[in-house]
């Protein structure tokens, strides 16, 4: 599970949302404090920015960050404000306690965690004086260490060199990122890693030298443990494989940072680590549990050494053995194994209960399975005595009990989810619609020989008193029609246009035209920058495109919302096809707003677009396709010339097949349609169909082969993109996206080797199970791929299986986004993408994503056919 998503589940029970965007803390810190004369204050994302009217600051320099705990935040802020305002020093602070909690939570971004107040000194002299005097004023106050900064003394004051103004540049991988200026005047990325870093051209002020020396003084060589491997980092600390140098025994070290890694109650990582050690000692005679080896302090952090558990996490074993992905696996044998694992876990949990403890964090990642099949439960951070246990403050949402469960019922709910997830790992959706449990159990019964009484008991435990209620019960605050869940989750592509209208109505019902950041709820990427909710992949443009392409009505007010939002694009707005203004221009033109569309295209051409990367999402391939499209529409030569320039730039960076680097880095670090060579090849194919230059086909073949070099042949003979830690078959960054373009290439130029690779990719589209429903990384993308190949019956069969993910929403039908924790309406991850995929299965009027079809009037080379 991607832990970034958890923090976007705190605002709304149905949709991913941001605390800043939802404006939940307008009356937070310093809300009642009057502004001094000559000062102004404005809201910006999570922050309140305070500055003198008409004051000036350098574009970049040393800044001061002050950290705080929830308990002392108001006191710390008052002291900083009392210091800065009389001196005219600008500063900003987080708007309220919930934002401070989320910034310091266990899975918050480590590079930005801990920053509560940011102070902007105007020069080095003011920097030194301000740091010294703030440190004295805040002496004795506690706050988490800011990992990106240099700590000043032992208190909550930290310093870092970085940008003050909102400036942006293009990073080495073609992304628009915050920037600072180097001595030559060139904008370069402003690094915000969880490690203190000073740009090469910046000299560390002399007064900071002792603090840097203190920071570097601690060394792990002083420990009686040798760290051999980093398992995981979170904002609360690290997890390491190590060896006790005194005994040679293998251990796992759990590190806890004080005042960081907060849970929902505000408890920090240290508090939970101590609780875990105490609980495990209390449960020392319970079998199937990890054992304590040692506890110690080092470098201001606390550590718990646990005996190393031989084995693998259950989630990995399920991935390796799951019969709906490994089609040659014996389903009966898998069922026996899975039920035995569940039996052992259930026995361990009941033994924990017998000792008066609630485990509270049961899920597949916390179950280790040895080679002999024996299970061991790990991670007791949130375990608590029954009399103290309510709702765990940290939880895996695919196994987290609803609010009406407390005490041991929390674990019993998780055990029921585990039994279901072992056979159909989709239980993250159950928080959205508990009645979906019956449907998932029916799917399990269809595919596995699980006794029906076990499944019925599982459903009863999950759904509670509504176990036999077949009506829609999404967890939201809205009225809903009470339509039967069976009707709402049934996806029958031949039930067109009723199915289309049901999805389109759900999308329209979710719209929030009163908001300025996003119109339709979608993925968490909507909250990246000021334009995340606008574009083709995750924003309003993509939803409006899908509705229009599928033949559904679009609300003119929704189109006007998009037009209004891009009338004056924010600084740093992205330019690309799927992430920015080019994609928005494409959609606005499609919806009858050509003047606005052309204005956006011209605005993009006035930006430094030639520096963008070689990806279809935000780089030159998508821009070239869009410029050529508008050149065809308008006859404007400057658009055609710019399109050719983009093509030439991409080709110039392409290299040859042998220039391919490792998956994790190098000149071409990604594969697939949206970020890899397949997107480049798509651009080159469309260019070839216009210009008929065979060299363009040569380059397209090179780009495709670069992507294929990043693929691995799986045991069932299917080809997937190898990301180093997983393999991917999906449309955006997986192999079927490569296959989609490869099939088009083969229509122009037959190639036996590439045809064989296309055949191997095609096998990726035959699986009964895909973890997510979305277009970019789920089943809808598989449906789109099959429809592009003209395999409409296969596409419709996969489309019917979208019912596994379908959920009721206001008496209509919608789909969860990435991670399945909340509904999504966007194109890349949600309901709009599913709608477009279903529309693609209509052979009489198939829907195709932008630029997947050749330009009007062009035809493939005669005699060439797809593999």
């Amino acid at each position: 599970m991607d832990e970034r998503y958890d923090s976007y589940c705190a605002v709304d029970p149905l949709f991913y949302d941001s605390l800043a965007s939802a404006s939940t803390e307008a009356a937070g810190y310093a809300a009642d404090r009057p502004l001094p004369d000559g000062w102004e204050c404005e809201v910006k994302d999570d922050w309140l920015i305070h500055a003198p009217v008409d004051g000036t600051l350098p574009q970049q320099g040393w800044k001061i960050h002050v950290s705080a705990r929830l308990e002392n935040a108001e006191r710390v802020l008052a002291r900083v404000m009392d210091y800065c305002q009389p001196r005219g020093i600008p500063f900003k602070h987080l708007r309220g306690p919930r934002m401070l909690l989320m910034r310091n939570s266990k899975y918050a971004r480590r590079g930005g965690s801990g920053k509560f107040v940011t102070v902007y000194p105007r020069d080095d002299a003011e920097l030194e004086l301000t740091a010294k005097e703030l440190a004295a004023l805040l002496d004795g106050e506690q706050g988490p260490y800011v990992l990106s900064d240099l700590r000043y003394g032992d208190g909550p004051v930290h310093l870092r060199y970085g940008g003050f103004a909102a400036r942006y540049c293009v990073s080495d991988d073609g992304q628009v990122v915050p920037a600072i200026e180097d001595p030559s005047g060139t904008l370069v990325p402003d690094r915000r890693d969880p490690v203190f870093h000073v740009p090469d051209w910046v000299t560390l002020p002399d007064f900071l030298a002792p603090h840097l020396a203190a920071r570097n003084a601690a060394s792990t060589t002083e420990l009686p443990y040798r760290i051999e491997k980093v398992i995981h980092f979170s904002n609360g600390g690290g997890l390491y494989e190590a060896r006790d140098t005194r005994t040679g025994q293998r251990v796992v070290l759990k590190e806890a940072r004080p005042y960081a890694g907060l849970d929902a109650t505000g408890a920090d990582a240290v508090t939970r680590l101590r609780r875990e050690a105490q609980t495990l000692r209390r449960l020392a005679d319970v079998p199937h549990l990890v054992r304590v080896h040692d506890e110690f302090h080092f470098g201001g952090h606390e550590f718990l050494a646990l005996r190393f558990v031989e084995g693998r996490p259950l989630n990995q074993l399920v991935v390796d053995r799951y019969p709906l992905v490994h089609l040659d696996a014996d389903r009966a044998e898998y069922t026996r194994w899975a039920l035995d694992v569940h039996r052992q876990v259930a026995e361990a949990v009941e033994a924990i209960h017998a000792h008066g403890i609630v485990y509270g964090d049961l899920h597949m990642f916390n179950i280790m399975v040895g080679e002999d099949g024996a299970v061991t439960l790990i991670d007791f951070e949130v375990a608590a005595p029954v009399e103290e246990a309510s709702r765990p403050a940290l939880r895996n949402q695919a196994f987290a009990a609803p609010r009406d469960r407390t005490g041991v019922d929390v674990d019993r709910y998780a055990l029921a989810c585990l039994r279901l997830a072992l056979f159909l790992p989709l239980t993250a959706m159950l928080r959205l619609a508990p009645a979906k449990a019956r449907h998932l159990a029916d799917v399990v019964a269809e595919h596995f020989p699980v006794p029906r009484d076990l499944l019925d008991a599982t459903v009863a435990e999950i759904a509670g008193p509504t176990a036999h209620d077949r009506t829609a019960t999404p967890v939201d605050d809205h009225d809903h029609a009470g339509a039967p869940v069976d009707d709402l989750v049934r996806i029958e592509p031949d039930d067109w246009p009723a199915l289309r209208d049901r999805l389109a109505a759900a999308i329209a019902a979710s719209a929030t035209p009163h908001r300025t950041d996003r119109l339709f709820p979608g993925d968490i990427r909507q909250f990246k920058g000021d334009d995340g909710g606008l574009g083709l992949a995750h924003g309003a443009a993509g939803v409006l495109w899908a509705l229009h392409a599928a033949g559904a009505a679009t609300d003119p007010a929704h189109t006007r919302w998009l037009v209004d939002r891009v009338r004056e694009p924010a600084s740093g707005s992205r330019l690309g096809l799927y992430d920015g203004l080019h994609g928005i221009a494409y959609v606005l033109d499609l919806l009858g707003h050509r003047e606005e569309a052309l204005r956006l295209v011209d605005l993009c051409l006035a930006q430094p677009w030639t520096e963008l990367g070689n990806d279809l999402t935000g780089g030159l391939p998508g821009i070239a396709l869009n410029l050529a499209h508008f050149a065809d529409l308008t006859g404007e030569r400057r658009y055609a010339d710019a399109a050719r320039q983009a093509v030439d730039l991409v080709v110039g960076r392409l290299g040859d097949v042998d220039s391919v680097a490792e998956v994790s880095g190098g000149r071409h670090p990604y594969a697939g349609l949206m970020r890899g060579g397949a997107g480049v090849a798509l651009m080159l194919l469309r260019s070839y169909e216009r210009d008929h230059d065979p060299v363009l086909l040569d380059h397209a073949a090179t780009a495709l082969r670069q992507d294929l070099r990043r693929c691995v042949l799986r045991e069932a003979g299917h080809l997937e993109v190898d990301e180093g830690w997983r393999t991917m078959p999906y449309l955006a960054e997986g192999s079927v996206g490569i296959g989609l373009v490869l099939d088009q290439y083969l229509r122009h130029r037959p190639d036996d080797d590439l045809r064989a690779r296309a055949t191997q990719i095609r096998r990726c589209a035959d699986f009964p199970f895909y973890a997510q429903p979305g277009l970019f990384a789920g089943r809808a993308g598989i449906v789109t791929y099959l429809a592009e190949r003209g395999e409409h019956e296969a596409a419709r069969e996969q489309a019917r299986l979208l019912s596994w993910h379908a959920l009721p929403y206001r008496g209509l039908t919608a789909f969860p986004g990435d991670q399945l924790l909340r509904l999504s309406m966007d194109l890349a991850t949600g309901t709009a993408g599913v709608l477009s995929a279903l529309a693609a299965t209509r052979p009489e009027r198939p829907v195709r994503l932008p630029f997947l079809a050749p330009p009007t009037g062009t035809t493939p080379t005669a005699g060439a056919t797809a593999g």
Side-chain angles (χ1 to χ4, degrees):
M1 181 169 291
D2 188 331
E3 292 149 347
R4 296 174 303 162
Y5 283 77
D6 193 62
S7 63
Y8 290 89
C9 294
V11 175
D12 190 296
L14 274 186
F15 301 110
Y16 294 121
D17 210 339
S18 161
L19 283 172
S21 299
S23 300
T24 57
E25 298 196 319
Y29 295 131
D32 299 328
R33 178 167 172 147
L35 280 173
D37 292 340
W39 278 72
E40 59 187 353
C41 177
E42 68 170 317
V43 175
K44 178 67 174 176
D45 299 327
D46 293 356
W47 304 91
L48 279 176
I49 303 172
H50 300 255
V53 176
D54 300 325
T56 59
L57 276 174
Q59 301 262 36
Q60 62 196 51
W62 287 93
K63 61 182 74 174
I64 298 171
H65 290 123
V66 179
S67 64
R69 302 175 64 189
L70 293 170
E71 295 83 355
N72 67 348
E74 291 191 77
R75 185 171 63 246
V76 166
L77 177 59
R79 291 181 186 175
V80 174
M81 296 180 80
D82 288 343
Y83 179 86
C84 289
Q85 286 176 336
R87 294 164 176 80
I89 303 173
F91 63 94
K92 69 179 182 181
H93 63 85
L94 290 174
R95 288 159 52 192
R98 291 187 71 191
M99 292 176 180
L100 180 57
L101 174 65
M102 297 309 294
R103 282 267 174 165
N104 290 329
S105 66
K106 181 173 180 179
Y107 297 118
R109 188 175 63 85
R110 298 173 71 234
S113 180
K115 299 173 184 177
F116 173 47
V117 186
T118 305
V119 179
Y120 298 97
R122 286 160 289 204
D123 54 41
D124 283 358
E126 190 167 70
L127 169 76
E128 182 173 359
L129 181 62
T130 302
K132 177 181 177 180
E133 294 185 340
L134 279 180
L137 283 171
L138 298 172
D139 184 38
E141 297 289 359
Q142 297 171 330
Y145 192 106
V146 179
L147 294 174
S148 62
D149 290 22
L150 178 62
R151 191 174 196 170
Y152 188 96
D154 298 325
V157 175
H158 306 75
L159 297 94
R160 182 181 83 86
Y161 188 94
F164 291 5
R167 296 192 289 176
Y168 300 89
C169 70
V170 179
S171 65
D172 290 341
D173 62 354
Q175 305 301 308
V176 178
V177 296
I180 53 177
E181 187 177 308
D182 70 12
S184 71
T186 302
L187 290 178
V188 298
D190 183 4
R191 286 180 52 181
R192 300 182 179 186
D193 310 327
V195 176
F196 177 61
H197 162 79
V198 181
D200 294 340
W201 67 89
V202 174
T203 301
L204 185 80
D206 290 341
F207 79 95
L208 292 179
H211 304 280
L212 181 62
R215 174 187 178 274
N216 295 334
S219 171
T220 56
T221 58
E222 302 171 18
L223 290 175
Y225 293 92
R226 183 176 64 254
I227 294 175
E228 298 179 339
K229 178 183 177 182
V230 175
I231 300 173
H232 173 69
F233 281 121
S234 76
N235 189 40
L239 192 66
Y240 314 91
E241 285 187 21
R243 194 172 296 274
D244 189 329
T245 57
R246 298 162 297 189
T247 65
Q249 186 169 352
R250 294 179 73 189
V251 297
V252 169
L253 296 181
K254 296 190 72 170
E255 173 192 27
R257 296 176 58 218
Y259 320 125
L262 306 184
D263 62 27
T265 69
D268 70 354
V270 170
T271 300
R272 292 194 305 277
L273 193 76
R274 292 171 180 171
R275 181 191 303 146
E276 178 169 18
Q278 181 181 10
T279 300
L280 286 173
R281 294 191 189 282
R282 179 171 171 176
L283 298 173
D285 63 337
V286 175
H288 298 297
L289 306 189
V290 67
R291 304 301 179 199
V292 173
H293 176 77
D294 190 12
E295 297 174 74
F296 60 93
H297 302 259
F298 176 75
H301 297 185
E302 293 201 19
F303 288 81
L304 174 63
L306 300 167
R307 296 179 191 173
F308 187 85
V309 177
E310 297 287 354
R312 297 176 63 198
L314 178 58
N315 66 297
Q316 292 182 7
L317 289 175
V318 170
V319 169
D320 286 351
R321 304 176 66 150
Y322 190 51
L324 300 189
V325 172
H326 303 280
L327 301 183
D328 57 346
D330 186 315
R331 297 189 187 188
E333 179 184 351
Y334 176 87
T335 299
R336 287 190 293 272
W337 171 80
L339 291 178
D340 182 64
V341 166
H342 188 274
R343 175 191 59 78
Q344 293 183 65
V345 172
E347 289 174 356
V349 170
E350 288 302 317
I352 292 170
H353 292 172
H355 282 66
I357 298 292
V358 175
Y359 183 20
D361 200 19
L362 176 65
H363 56 82
M364 287 194 189
F365 292 79
N366 284 348
I367 301 168
M368 300 292 291
V369 182
E371 290 188 6
D372 60 355
V375 306
T376 303
L377 304 187
I378 62 173
D379 201 344
F380 282 73
E381 285 189 23
V382 300
V386 171
E387 62 272 14
E388 300 175 13
S390 54
R391 287 174 53 79
L394 287 174
R395 59 197 185 276
N396 181 301
Q397 294 202 47
F399 297 82
R403 295 183 181 277
D404 63 348
R405 317 296 170 90
T406 58
V408 296
D409 287 342
V410 168
D411 288 343
R412 289 170 182 159
Y413 179 93
L415 280 168
C417 286
L418 176 63
R419 181 183 286 142
L420 200 56
L422 282 164
F423 299 98
L424 196 62
L426 300 178
T427 56
M429 300 187 298
L430 297 180
R431 296 294 300 280
L432 298 169
K436 182 74 174 180
R438 173 66 59 183
H439 179 215
L440 298 185
D442 291 344
V443 174
V444 172
E446 179 183 353
H447 292 275
F448 295 93
V450 181
R452 188 73 226 195
D453 62 331
L454 283 181
L455 292 173
D456 290 342
T458 299
V459 171
E461 183 65 54
I462 290 171
T466 62
H468 301 292
D469 181 0
R470 308 285 285 197
T471 61
T473 55
V475 184
D476 71 356
D477 298 323
H478 308 292
D479 294 331
H480 29 264
V485 167
D486 290 353
D487 292 345
L488 296 179
V489 304
R490 186 176 65 87
I491 302 298
E492 177 47 68
D494 292 334
D495 185 24
W496 195 268
L499 175 59
R500 175 198 66 194
D501 294 345
R502 204 163 75 233
L503 297 179
I507 291 170
S510 75
T512 56
H514 60 281
R515 291 178 59 156
T516 58
D517 60 332
R518 58 109 162 122
L519 177 59
F520 301 102
D523 189 71
I524 66 172
R525 293 175 183 87
Q526 291 187 331
F527 307 107
K528 181 180 180 182
D530 293 326
D531 58 347
L534 305 181
L536 198 56
H538 301 292
V543 175
L544 293 172
W545 173 84
L547 291 169
H548 177 85
T554 56
D555 188 332
H558 293 165
T559 305
R560 176 53 54 188
W561 183 95
L562 183 58
V563 171
D564 291 344
R565 294 289 83 73
V566 296
R567 186 165 283 117
E568 295 184 12
S571 174
S573 290
R574 286 157 285 197
L575 307 181
L577 178 63
Y578 277 92
D579 72 351
L581 297 178
H582 269 284
I584 296 169
Y586 175 86
V587 173
L588 289 181
D589 179 73
L590 193 68
L591 297 177
H593 292 265
R594 178 158 297 178
E595 181 178 347
E596 293 293 336
L598 293 176
R599 185 184 65 82
L600 287 181
V601 174
D602 291 340
L603 180 64
C604 290
L605 287 176
Q607 305 303 310
W609 60 272
T610 57
E611 301 174 14
L612 293 169
N614 271 25
D615 59 289
L616 185 65
T617 296
L620 295 180
I623 289 173
L625 288 165
N626 201 47
L627 288 169
H629 167 72
F630 277 102
D632 290 345
L633 289 177
T634 66
E636 285 277 356
R637 183 177 181 85
R638 61 198 177 94
Y639 294 155
D641 289 345
R644 280 191 287 272
Q645 182 184 1
V647 171
D648 290 343
L649 287 168
V650 173
V651 168
R653 303 170 184 170
L654 192 59
D656 56 27
V657 176
D658 293 330
S659 69
V660 174
E662 294 296 323
V663 173
S664 59
R667 187 177 180 186
H668 307 294
Y670 302 107
L673 180 62
M674 291 297 164
R675 301 183 74 184
V680 172
L682 181 69
M683 174 200 72
L684 292 165
L685 289 177
R686 297 293 88 92
S687 298
Y688 169 76
E689 288 154 357
R690 284 183 169 87
D691 300 341
H692 304 291
D693 181 355
V695 174
L696 293 169
L697 282 184
D698 296 339
H699 292 311
T702 296
L704 287 167
R705 286 192 165 95
Q706 286 179 344
D707 267 11
L708 291 169
R709 286 277 297 273
R710 294 175 179 80
C711 293
V712 59
L713 192 64
R714 299 299 302 272
E715 61 279 357
H718 58 289
L719 198 68
E720 296 188 355
V721 171
D722 184 359
E723 293 190 342
W725 62 284
R726 64 178 180 180
T727 62
M728 295 287 279
Y730 297 117
L731 183 70
E733 298 178 26
S735 54
V736 302
I738 301 170
L740 187 151
V741 182
L742 181 55
D743 289 341
Q744 294 196 16
Y745 172 85
L746 290 169
R747 296 186 187 115
H748 290 294
R749 179 180 286 175
D751 183 300
D752 290 343
D753 176 62
L754 292 180
R755 190 182 308 281
R757 304 291 255 175
T759 299
Q760 293 166 341
I761 291 173
R762 168 60 184 82
R763 296 182 185 128
C764 293
D766 287 332
F767 298 111
F769 180 81
Y770 298 94
Q772 300 181 146
L775 181 66
F776 278 21
R779 194 187 298 274
I782 302 296
V783 172
T784 299
Y785 163 72
L786 291 169
E788 277 292 321
R789 290 178 60 88
E791 298 184 44
H792 293 290
E793 185 48 48
R796 284 193 291 272
E797 186 55 38
Q798 282 289 358
R800 292 182 184 100
L801 296 180
L802 282 163
S803 65
W804 294 9
H805 289 93
L807 291 169
Y809 170 63
R810 290 187 171 188
L812 301 163
T813 305
F815 287 83
D818 283 2
Q819 308 301 306
L820 309 182
L821 301 175
R822 293 292 186 269
L823 297 178
S824 171
M825 300 298 173
D826 71 25
L827 181 68
T829 72
T831 307
V834 172
L835 176 62
S836 76
L838 291 168
T841 67
R842 312 299 302 163
E844 70 278 8
R845 188 178 178 269
V847 166
R848 308 182 78 179
L849 287 171
F851 310 121
L852 285 192
T856 303
T858 64
T859 57
T861 304
T865 58

